Structures are given as C-alpha cells and as structure tokens.
Amino acid sequence: MCGFVGIVGLDGSRPDLPPSVFDAMTDAAADRGPDGRGAFRRGPVWFGHRRLAIRGRTAGGWGSGVFEGVQPWVEGGPRGVAVVFNGEIYNDVELRDDLSAAGLDFATRCDTEVIPAAYRRWGDDCLHRFDGMFAVGLYDFAARRLLLARDRFGIKPLFYAVVGDALVFASGLPSLLRHPGVSKRPDVAAVSHYLTTLRPTLGPRTLYADIKTLQPGERLIADRGGVRVERWYEFPQAPADNDLTLDEAADRLRAELADAVKLRLRSDVPVGMFQSGGVDSGVVATLAAEEHGAALPAGCAVGSGAGDDLDAATRTANFLNADLRHASVDAEGYWETWTGLVARTAQPLATPTDVLLHRLAAAMRPDVGVVLGGEGADELLLGYAAVAGGAADYDRLNLIAADVSGLERSAERVFLRSLRASLGRDDLESLRSPVDHYFAANSLIPREGVVGWLREGLPGRDGVADAVTAEYASYFPAGRRTSRGYAELLHRVNLETLLGRLDRATMAAGLEARVPFCSHRVVEAMAAVPGDLKLRVDPGEATPYLAAPHLDGRGSLEGKRVVRRLAGRLLPAGLAGRPKASFPTPVAGWLAGEWAERAGDAVRRGPVVRELFGEETAGALADHLPSLGMRAWPVVNLALWDAA
C-alpha cells in the first residue's frame, strides 16, 4: 500500500522538470507512504514512490523499518521494466508458485515483485490473474510502452493528465497538482454532478478539467500508436440461476466470502476491523475470527450528539470476544478534521462519515496496519433497497402509460400518488428515461437546480445536463432490463465513490483498508443469484405496488436478503436482523447551528463558488445554509475545496 507518481515522455524525450518539483510531487503522497521513499529516472521515464510497508517486512516485523520490495521496482537492465504499485496482490503466493514453475526466479517475498514477473509471462493479461486491489504503472523499455491499470472495482485510485508531450500520473490528486503544467481549473460538469450526487468523478472526468481518472477495470496504454484507454474487466453478465434457493445462495456467499477474508488476512503487520453495528461488517468480523482463530481488534466511530450504532457494534464485539475501541468527535473537532482532509486530499468529501472513518483510522493506526471493512455488500446485493427498487417503479410507470400494468385502476392511482409524493413532483410525464427517474429519485440537489445556480455565460454551462445524462445513459442501452442497469450503476458508480472515500480517509492516516465483499470472486459468484433473492417486497405487504421509497419506509422492501440469511447463521438474532447502519454524524444540525456562521463565510468567500455561481447566488446560498439541511453539505465542501 503506497503512493506513487510518474512522468513519461510520450515522444521518447526525457521529462523536463526541476528535480525539486518532482520531489514535491512524490512527497505529496507522504500520507499514503510514511515508511519509505524512492525514485527512478531513465530515458523518458521518471517514477517516484512513497512506501507504506504491509507486505515484505523483514527482520524486526511491525515497526522495524526493514523492508523487501522497495519501489520503484526496476529489473532486466536497460531493456527491462520499471514498476510503481499501490495496493495488494493477495494471491501473490500462488502466482509466485506458478511463475517459479515456469522458470522465473524471485528474490523477495513481496507482492510487488510478482507484477513484473507476471507481465513478462502473460503480458497485459496478467491483470486477470491478480486477485487484489491495485493501481499499477509499468514501463516496458524494450517495447517503449507504458501500461497503467486500475483494479476491477476501483478500490485504489489512479489519476493522470497529458501535459505537452508527457503523460503524468499519480495515485493522488495532490501529486498531480504540484506539476506546473496541471491547473486547478474546475470541470463545470463534474462539479455540478458532485453537487447533485456527492460523487467527485463523472466517468473519466474529475473535478479538475486537466485531470482524468482511470475508471474501475480500465487500463491505459501509451506506445508508438498513441494513448488509448480500454476496459480490461467487465461487470459479470452471468445469467440468473433461477433454481437457486436463498439458503443455497447464502452457502455460496459464505464459501466465497470466507476465502476472500482468508486472503485479506495475509499481512506482515497486525490486522484489525472497522466494526459498525451493521450486518456487513458483522459477517466479515465473524468470518475473520473463524479464520484467524480469535477476533480481530475492532473500532467503531460516532459523532457526539448523534444517534449511533455503538451499542450494536459493542454487542457484536462482545459476541466475538473482540477488543473494541471507539472514536468520537464533537462539532469543533469534526470541522478541523473536515477542513484538513479537504486540503490534504485536494477534493471535497463524499459523505459526512469520511471524517469519522479518518478519526477511527488515526486512532487504530498505532496498533494495526490493516483493517477489514464491510464496504461493497450494499452495492453488490442491493442493500440500498429504495434506490434499487426504483427500477421497478420506472418500469411500472411505463406499463401504466401503455395500459398493460396488470393492476386494477385503483391500484394504479395509489402507485402514481405514492410515486409523486416520494419524488416530490407532479410531472411524472417528464420522466422519459431511466436516467430521468434515477436523478429525480436520488439527487441530493436536483440537476435542474444546480444548473440554475450556474451563472449565465459560464463556459460549459449549456453542456452540463447533456454530459451528465450521457454518462448515466450508458448503463441503460436499448434492450437491457432497467433493474440490470440500476444494479450495474450502483456497483460501478456508487461503489467507486464509496471505496474512494474509504481509501482517502484511511490512507490519510497511513492505514490500509481491505474490503472482502469487493473480491471479484465474490462478485462473480453473486452475479448469478436471482434478483428476488437479493431484493423483494415483503409477501405480507398489503399494498405491494407502492413506490419503492414508501415500501422501504414501511419496512416492506427487503434488500440484501442473501447477506441477512448468512448473518442469521453467524450472528445473534438481534444483530442479524438489524436495519442498515453506518457511522452516523449530526452534521445537519451542526450546519444549522455551531457551524452556520463560518460555513456561510466560506461560501461567500469561496473563489470557485463565486466563479461558477456568481457573487449574488453565492451570497444567497450562504444566507440560507441553515435551511438547506443536508443540501448544504456539498455546497460547503465546494467552498472549502477551492480554498484548499
């Protein structure tokens, strides 16, 4: 687990940059890699690396400062390869055995060394052999070829920019922003999308117009043929196994998840557990305790004054006989950490829990170097029931319009009233596509409202709506079931944001987070599970044709059924049946109370807020922040970001 930066001359020329600037770019990743520093320069290649040593520690173990696999990794002489790598290849032991049998030699036990060996053996197809989380930069001097690759689900970040005749890449935005050719100019469409969804990327676009991101499962190749980006991993498309029972699906999940946990316990440093009171982390913690032979040390975070799930986390810890610590934060401490994280990561936060994750990571870091978490279960197995259920709402709306819904007229009227109320709008006729419905149901701030805030004459303003719509429309091509599009959107787009905030919050504390539910083997095993085993309306619901948000509010929309069935076998009944939980915060109250004045001042002064919205709109937003509720969250983040 590390941070890296690279510059490659696309025309074969030596990168022209003062060494002090490149050093600053490398050291901007110091949070991600506090244990060591390295650099390599040859011909058109300049790589820098900051090390967080999790695997390949030698004599002395945890805290010894003696490591194998120092990066950049360079081998094979002038026509060899150079590698920088962030993440973990969990199956490196098995790969090393396969490669050794093919005649390749190894000097270390570190997973880094496996990457160039696998590349020499299998070329770009080596990516399919890796079971892990990774962002990789590899330069092949013989072929004069750069390969950048990101893991299947976007657990590890990878950003890049083309600056003149050079391609600059890094595992974090702060490194790229220290290059004099990369500006901080905002991408208007990406910023608007963030205000609507809290997602800091829009496809390959970031909040910075000059910087792109490799999306999950993508690779970038730069060679004599130019620069191209292609997808190397596709979301699994397995047909549903309609003969599968819920118990059989839970058996399948347990087998694959247990294997994923086992691999993710491989570490040369102590491993702990992020333990909320929810079933996802509870299942992971139980399987980890079974494999490890004892419960992992665990941590839970809470915001002071908020209703929290510390009690449920404590009950889970007591059930497993785990040592549980907790991190709490008051309004002042939260604000300080919030502004600090925005400055250190060079982007606004995604969710209010980012701060709690970071505080918990910092509290656990002295005793563990790795934590496991339950992220990914909601996206994989439809834990966001109201969101996933929106697919059925959209389909039913169209069936009613075509007069083929199969419902009584009275039931149709009840559904339409329910849908209008849940969306807060009467003009259902305007929902012409699944994208329209998705944003109507799931926007924090409506798309139309954000575009309306943008000042007249702002370059790019007129293309914002089309850019956002086009990106989301790619999940709903002609002939695809709406439910399939929703499921893939959740797992690709929503999950990337969730994993990105986990990465930033933990790596800012020098802690590695691992997510067993994001094992590709788990994902592929669950792809064949029928939709009704993941999400269904309670058979006892008297009005099953209500809109999904209303069904969810009544407790009648049952999501993540497979996980809950497995949790029922592993955890006490009171924990296994617990509603979805997270690390809660009282941010809405603080925005309207203790923070109101300073948050308003930040919005009034924010240069990007004023540039995009104009002084009058910025002032109006600042004046009305206390009445905006959680809609104030992205607005204040935007103001803090452009001050960072």
Side-chain angles (χ1 to χ4, degrees):
M1 184 66 66
C2 308
F4 60 69
V5 62
I7 306 176
V8 174
L10 297 174
D11 58 356
S13 63
R14 183 179 176 88
D16 182 18
L17 195 71
S20 60
V21 174
F22 187 82
D23 288 346
M25 294 173 67
T26 301
D27 289 337
D31 283 348
R32 306 183 71 89
D35 292 332
R37 185 179 187 281
F40 168 76
R41 190 174 192 181
R42 179 194 295 166
V45 174
W46 203 352
F47 286 175
H49 187 263
R50 294 293 310 225
R51 175 83 182 268
L52 175 62
I54 302 298
R55 310 281 297 279
R57 286 180 178 266
T58 57
W62 176 235
S64 70
V66 182
F67 318 124
E68 294 180 327
V70 173
Q71 297 186 47
W73 183 275
V74 185
E75 64 179 44
R79 292 180 60 81
V81 298
V83 172
V84 282
F85 161 56
N86 170 30
E88 300 287 348
I89 306 299
Y90 301 121
N91 65 331
D92 64 308
V93 174
E94 293 77 9
L95 288 173
R96 190 179 289 107
D97 289 344
D98 290 345
L99 292 164
S100 295
L104 282 78
D105 296 324
F106 292 90
T108 75
R109 299 174 299 106
C110 188
D111 57 340
T112 300
E113 189 178 7
V114 169
I115 294 172
Y119 175 78
R120 293 198 307 275
R121 175 71 169 147
W122 297 301
D124 291 356
D125 285 345
C126 68
L127 299 172
H128 294 279
R129 308 270 181 156
F130 297 155
D131 185 344
M133 56 180 185
F134 53 86
V136 176
L138 182 151
Y139 192 82
D140 183 334
F141 285 94
R144 298 181 185 177
R145 181 177 190 268
L146 172 69
L147 170 67
L148 303 180
R150 193 174 180 201
D151 64 60
R152 295 167 178 84
F153 307 122
I155 306 172
K156 293 287 102 184
L158 209 169
F159 303 98
Y160 68 96
V162 176
V163 183
D165 293 326
L167 191 142
V168 188
F169 63 92
S171 53
L173 291 168
S175 293
L176 288 180
L177 292 170
R178 279 164 177 76
H179 191 290
V182 178
S183 82
K184 291 187 176 182
R185 179 170 57 94
D187 182 306
V188 177
V191 170
S192 300
H193 176 247
Y194 166 76
L195 290 169
T196 299
T197 65
L198 295 180
R199 294 169 180 154
T201 58
L202 175 61
R205 301 164 75 158
T206 73
L207 298 174
Y208 298 95
D210 283 4
I211 300 175
K212 305 300 181 189
T213 179
L214 275 189
Q215 296 181 82
E218 284 189 342
R219 62 188 172 206
L220 179 150
I221 298 167
D223 56 16
R224 295 178 180 89
V227 178
R228 59 191 181 277
V229 175
E230 56 193 34
R231 182 166 294 282
W232 69 268
Y233 181 81
E234 292 290 347
F235 190 83
Q237 303 288 331
D241 182 355
N242 292 313
D243 294 329
L244 201 67
T245 68
L246 184 58
D247 280 324
E248 290 169 339
D251 290 341
R252 185 177 297 183
L253 176 60
R254 175 169 185 155
E256 295 294 347
L257 191 60
D259 282 347
V261 168
K262 180 178 180 179
L263 280 178
R264 283 152 185 79
L265 287 173
R266 288 181 173 177
S267 172
D268 292 339
V269 302
V271 180
M273 184 76 212
F274 271 1
Q275 186 72 66
S276 75
V279 296
D280 306 333
S281 61
V283 165
V284 171
T286 304
L287 294 176
E290 289 179 357
E291 174 62 32
H292 187 59
L296 302 179
C300 181
V302 296
S304 64
D308 61 72
D309 59 351
L310 178 59
D311 177 63
T314 301
R315 284 187 286 141
T316 301
N318 290 342
F319 170 71
L320 295 173
N321 196 28
D323 176 26
L324 179 73
R325 70 181 62 189
H326 75 275
S328 61
V329 59
D330 58 16
E332 193 61 32
Y334 188 106
W335 181 272
E336 180 181 352
T337 304
W338 178 11
T339 55
L341 276 176
V342 172
R344 291 164 68 182
T345 63
Q347 60 183 305
L349 303 192
T351 71
T353 59
D354 296 18
V355 167
L356 294 184
L357 286 169
H358 175 68
R359 298 281 289 228
L360 181 57
M364 296 187 72
R365 180 62 177 84
D367 300 314
V368 301
V370 172
V371 290
L372 305 186
E375 281 79 2
D378 286 308
E379 289 77 8
L380 174 61
L381 293 163
L382 307 186
Y384 299 113
V387 179
D393 288 349
Y394 176 76
D395 287 342
R396 180 173 288 139
L397 181 63
N398 282 282
L399 292 173
I400 291 173
D403 199 25
V404 290
S405 73
L407 295 175
E408 299 289 339
R409 295 298 186 194
S410 59
E412 289 183 347
R413 289 193 292 271
V414 169
F415 166 72
L416 293 173
R417 284 199 301 271
S418 175
L419 186 60
R420 290 188 183 99
S422 66
L423 299 180
R425 61 194 298 165
D426 293 327
D427 58 332
L428 299 181
E429 295 77 13
S430 67
L431 305 181
R432 300 184 180 90
S433 72
V435 176
D436 292 335
H437 178 267
Y438 176 84
F439 277 99
N442 299 295
S443 297
L444 184 61
I445 303 172
R447 287 185 297 172
E448 301 83 358
V450 172
V451 173
W453 289 352
L454 299 174
R455 63 178 174 82
E456 294 289 341
L458 178 70
R461 181 183 190 272
D462 294 339
V464 164
D466 289 343
V468 175
T469 298
E471 179 60 37
Y472 280 77
S474 66
Y475 293 94
F476 301 99
R480 172 177 283 184
R481 300 191 315 275
T482 308
S483 58
R484 179 69 188 182
Y486 265 66
E488 190 168 336
L489 191 158
L490 278 170
H491 202 266
R492 278 191 171 162
V493 179
N494 194 75
L495 182 61
E496 182 191 20
T497 299
L498 182 77
L499 295 173
R501 64 95 190 235
L502 178 68
D503 174 81
R504 291 187 295 275
T506 54
M507 291 304 291
L511 184 72
E512 175 176 301
R514 299 178 176 179
V515 281
F517 276 106
C518 295
S519 160
H520 70 283
R521 300 185 190 282
V522 172
V523 172
E524 289 162 6
M526 293 297 100
V529 174
D532 66 332
L533 298 186
K534 300 174 183 176
L535 175 72
R536 73 169 184 180
V537 178
D538 185 339
E541 169 59 53
T543 50
Y545 41 78
L546 290 172
H550 281 171
L551 289 171
D552 192 43
R554 292 160 67 107
S556 296
L557 199 56
E558 301 174 355
K560 215 161 47 178
R561 296 182 66 211
V562 181
V563 179
R564 294 190 183 282
R565 179 57 60 94
L566 178 56
R569 301 174 184 174
L570 300 176
L571 297 168
L575 296 170
R578 192 167 182 268
K580 175 175 169 51
S582 184
F583 295 144
T585 68
V587 162
W590 287 339
L591 282 166
E594 293 98 317
W595 297 340
E597 183 175 351
R598 73 178 89 176
D601 288 344
V603 173
R604 288 187 189 90
R605 295 195 308 267
V608 172
V609 173
R610 291 161 65 99
E611 176 190 347
L612 298 186
F613 300 159
E615 187 171 341
E616 182 177 349
T617 299
L621 285 170
D623 291 340
H624 291 91
L625 279 182
S627 64
L628 290 179
M630 280 308 298
R631 289 175 295 175
W633 168 258
V635 176
V636 179
N637 262 286
L638 190 64
L640 296 175
W641 168 61
D642 62 44

